[in-house]
Amino acid sequence: MTLDLDTLNSRHAQEGALRFTRAENGPTLAEIDNAFGKASIALEGGQILTWAPKGQEPVVWLSPEARYVPGKSLRGGVPVCWPWFGPNDQDASLPAHGFARNKPWQVTSSERLADGATRLTLQLVQDEDTARLWPHSAELRLSVTVGAALRIELATRNLGGSPFTITEALHTYFQVSDIGDVSVSGLEGCSYLDKVEGGSKVQQGAVAIGGEVDRVYLGTTAECVIHDPGYKRRIRVAKTGSRSTVVWNPWEEKGAKFGDMGQDGYRRMLCVETVNALDDGVTVGAGETRVLVAEYSVESEG
C-alpha cells in the first residue's frame, strides 16, 4: 500500500533526522539529515540517490541530468539490481537488472539508533507484473543506515517451498574528483571477465581507469578502496554476502549516448558494485534469508 506524505511523516519521520517529501513531478523521497551526514532515498525503486558525510563532498553520485521517469531508475545513486543482474539468462527480452529498481517500495520501519544513526527499512511491493516476470514467492527488504558509515543491507527471504537462485547487485555510483586520477585497490590478483575487450584476465596492480571499463571480478569477498587524490580521500567499500565485484565506467562515447549523465559526467563517477553475478549467484533455500551487505566509509588520504 502506497502511503501519502502526511501518513509517512506521521508514522516514520524523526524530528531533526528524517522526513518524507515529494519532488515536483518526481519521486517520493526519504530525506535523512542527522549528525553524521545527509542522504536521500527514492521510494520508487528503493534507490539511494545521494549520500554526503557532514562537511565533505558527496560520496554517492547523482547525475545533474538525472530525470525521473516512472518505472525507470535514475542515473546515479545506488540502483538495486534483483532478482537478476544484467540480462536475464533465460529470456533476454526481460528488463535488464531485474525489476526491483523499477518498482515502488514501502516503508516498514524507521529507527534512531543509540549512536544517533538513522536506519530506514523498505520492502519491495510485488504485484501481478513481478509475478509474471519472476514466478517465485519471496520477500525483499532494504535497510539503509546513515551513521559514521553508510550501511546497506539487501535481504532476500524465500517464502516458497522450493529453493531458487538469484543474481543481484548494489550498483553504486561513487563521486570522484576526476576519473583519470583515481585508482581502486583490493582486487589485485583477482580473475575478471572483461566485458569491453572480451576474455578472462587477472588484475595486475590497482585498477586505473583510462577508457571504458566494465569488469566482473569473480570469487572475491575483498574490501575495495577507491583512492582519490583530488578529494584527498579514500572510500572504503566493505561487503559481506557477496562473491563478485563489478568496476564500471562508460567513458565518453557511451556516456554521451545515455543522454542523462551530464556534460563530462563520466569523469565524475565510478561504479564499484557489490554483486553476486554469473557463477557467484546465490541459492536461497525454502524458508531461508540471504543478506547482501555493503558498507561505505571515508578516510583522509594524503
Side-chain angles (χ1 to χ4, degrees):
M1 179 178 63
T2 302
L3 301 178
D4 59 41
L5 287 179
D6 288 343
T7 304
L8 281 170
N9 280 303
S10 174
R11 293 184 182 181
H12 300 293
Q14 298 175 13
E15 185 176 355
L18 170 64
R19 67 187 183 117
F20 295 88
T21 64
R22 183 172 291 116
E24 184 176 356
N25 298 320
T28 303
L29 299 176
E31 296 186 331
I32 296 172
D33 185 356
N34 61 23
F36 296 100
K38 294 183 178 182
S40 59
I41 305 159
L43 301 192
E44 287 79 4
Q47 184 176 354
I48 299 169
L49 301 181
T50 60
W51 173 55
K54 286 291 187 184
Q56 297 187 36
E57 293 285 345
V59 175
V60 172
W61 179 83
L62 181 68
S63 170
E65 299 297 326
R67 299 185 298 273
Y68 174 65
V69 178
K72 293 185 178 295
S73 62
L74 287 104
R75 177 67 61 189
V78 188
V80 175
C81 303
W82 185 93
W84 60 85
F85 174 72
N88 185 284
D89 60 4
Q90 302 295 320
D91 185 350
S93 69
L94 295 178
H97 293 316
F99 50 78
R101 64 184 185 147
N102 302 327
K103 291 292 183 180
W105 293 61
Q106 62 187 13
V107 179
T108 60
S109 67
S110 65
E111 303 168 75
R112 193 191 304 266
L113 304 185
D115 64 354
T118 304
R119 177 183 293 156
L120 181 70
T121 300
L122 311 177
Q123 182 174 324
L124 176 67
V125 177
Q126 302 196 54
D127 53 24
E128 292 181 359
D129 187 48
T130 62
R132 176 184 62 82
L133 293 170
W134 192 66
H136 298 284
S137 180
E139 177 185 271
L140 185 65
R141 288 181 179 255
L142 179 75
S143 291
V144 180
T145 304
V146 178
L150 177 66
R151 181 178 175 88
I152 310 168
E153 303 172 43
L154 185 67
T156 301
R157 181 184 176 197
N158 185 344
L159 301 177
S162 301
F164 56 71
T165 299
I166 60 171
T167 54
E168 57 186 341
L170 297 170
H171 192 310
T172 305
Y173 291 69
F174 291 99
Q175 180 165 313
V176 298
S177 59
D178 188 280
I179 191 61
D181 296 332
V182 304
S183 62
V184 181
S185 62
L187 296 169
E188 295 83 354
C190 290
S191 297
Y192 66 89
L193 176 65
D194 192 325
K195 298 174 72 174
V196 176
E197 298 181 358
S200 180
K201 303 176 182 179
V202 175
Q203 180 64 42
Q204 304 296 324
V207 181
I209 313 297
E212 182 184 354
V213 171
D214 191 353
R215 301 175 181 175
V216 184
Y217 292 83
L218 296 168
T220 175
T221 61
E223 175 181 281
C224 291
V225 180
I226 302 171
H227 301 268
D228 189 339
Y231 281 153
K232 297 182 179 179
R233 73 183 183 188
R234 52 183 173 263
I235 303 170
R236 293 196 172 275
V237 183
K239 64 177 188 172
T240 58
S242 161
R243 289 186 49 79
S244 314
T245 293
V246 169
V247 178
W248 179 76
N249 182 286
W251 210 248
E252 184 174 10
E253 183 177 354
K254 183 173 285 187
K257 291 178 180 178
F258 292 146
D260 60 358
M261 289 202 74
Q263 186 175 9
D264 294 335
Y266 74 96
R267 301 206 67 90
R268 300 281 287 164
M269 55 70 58
L270 176 64
C271 287
V272 178
E273 306 170 31
T274 299
V275 181
N276 286 304
L278 301 175
D279 293 341
D280 291 330
V282 174
T283 297
V284 188
E288 289 185 348
T289 299
R290 298 293 293 269
V291 184
L292 178 69
V293 179
E295 186 166 290
Y296 311 139
S297 56
V298 182
E299 303 167 351
S300 296
E301 182 172 74

